[in-house]
Amino acid sequence: MKRVLFLGLMVTVMLAGCSKPAKTGAAGTNAEAMGPFDAPFSVFKSAFETKDYGKALAGLRSLMGTYWAESPLVLENPKFVKGETNSYGIYEPRENDVFTAGEPMYLYVEPAGFGVTRNPAGYYEFGFKVDFQVVDDGGTVLGGKTDFAVLPFKSWNVNTEMSLTFTYTLGGLEKGKYKIITQVSDTHSAKKATIETGFTIE
């Protein structure tokens, strides 16, 4: 019978590219007839055409804020990488998904579309709870943990470019093919997302 011993789990979080998307509100008497992206796009387009690049950038950030509110939680660019010290878009990909038993596995991911709230002090708050399971090639669950990572953040900006790196150190696995199923729950909304990452123990 296959058995998994979870020797160590660690999460590395890096924030980058701070931005501050603004929420869109009513824009004139016909706001209800407009789509959610019309007003911020109109601000961007008008400012860009008049070469008011500061105002145009604010319009782009407002567009991003509207997308962030409308989007589900998305876990982009999941991949095994060579280490735990990564930041958004700055990492060294691992050449393959083949590991030895007990070898640390570094799983990199870029969350997007998560909920953001502003506290009375003016900070923007966001965060995640993370569960995981390890399953074998036949789908049998071998182990896992609920809320193995609880990640609260606060920032003076809304960080739309960020990365998470999960470090899994698994022992007790026989040679074969497996999957790590990682579920990320947004702590500031009801949004959730799951990724399944295959790997091989040689």
Side-chain angles (χ1 to χ4, degrees):
M1 177 179 179
K2 297 178 181 177
R3 182 171 61 87
V4 180
L5 174 63
F6 296 99
L7 300 177
L9 297 167
M10 184 166 52
V11 181
T12 303
V13 181
M14 296 299 293
L15 305 176
C18 298
S19 61
K20 188 176 180 181
K23 294 182 179 179
T24 49
T29 57
N30 65 339
E32 293 184 1
M34 299 175 69
F37 296 95
D38 293 338
F41 181 76
S42 178
V43 170
F44 164 74
K45 184 174 182 292
S46 176
F48 189 81
E49 288 173 346
T50 60
K51 301 188 184 303
D52 186 344
Y53 297 113
K55 190 174 181 180
L57 179 58
L60 281 177
R61 287 174 171 164
S62 184
L63 277 169
M64 179 65 81
T66 302
Y67 163 79
W68 225 248
E70 296 287 331
S71 171
L73 180 63
V74 179
L75 302 176
E76 296 187 299
N77 202 22
K79 61 176 69 252
F80 288 118
V81 295
K82 291 185 177 180
E84 63 190 12
T85 307
N86 308 294
S87 59
Y88 183 83
I90 302 174
Y91 53 85
E92 191 172 356
R94 186 182 171 93
E95 293 87 353
N96 56 52
D97 59 5
V98 180
F99 300 86
T100 57
E103 178 184 359
M105 297 185 292
Y106 305 107
L107 179 61
Y108 171 95
V109 66
E110 298 165 353
F114 45 85
V116 180
T117 58
R118 198 169 192 181
N119 68 23
Y123 283 105
Y124 293 94
E125 296 184 336
F126 52 99
F128 311 97
K129 290 185 178 181
V130 186
D131 310 332
F132 82 96
Q133 292 181 327
V134 175
V135 301
D136 65 16
D137 200 32
T140 301
V141 177
L142 304 178
K145 187 173 177 61
T146 300
D147 289 350
F148 91 88
V150 180
L151 308 169
F153 303 101
K154 66 178 183 178
S155 172
W156 289 115
N157 293 309
V158 178
N159 297 87
T160 56
E161 294 183 344
M162 67 175 300
S163 66
L164 307 175
T165 301
F166 304 111
T167 303
Y168 299 95
T169 304
L170 310 177
L173 289 176
E174 300 173 1
K175 292 182 179 181
K177 293 184 179 297
Y178 301 89
K179 285 190 296 187
I180 298 174
I181 302 174
T182 305
Q183 178 176 274
V184 179
S185 300
D186 182 2
T187 57
H188 287 259
S189 76
K191 299 176 182 180
K192 296 182 179 182
T194 300
I195 52 173
E196 297 186 4
T197 314
F199 66 96
T200 299
I201 296 295
E202 63 177 10

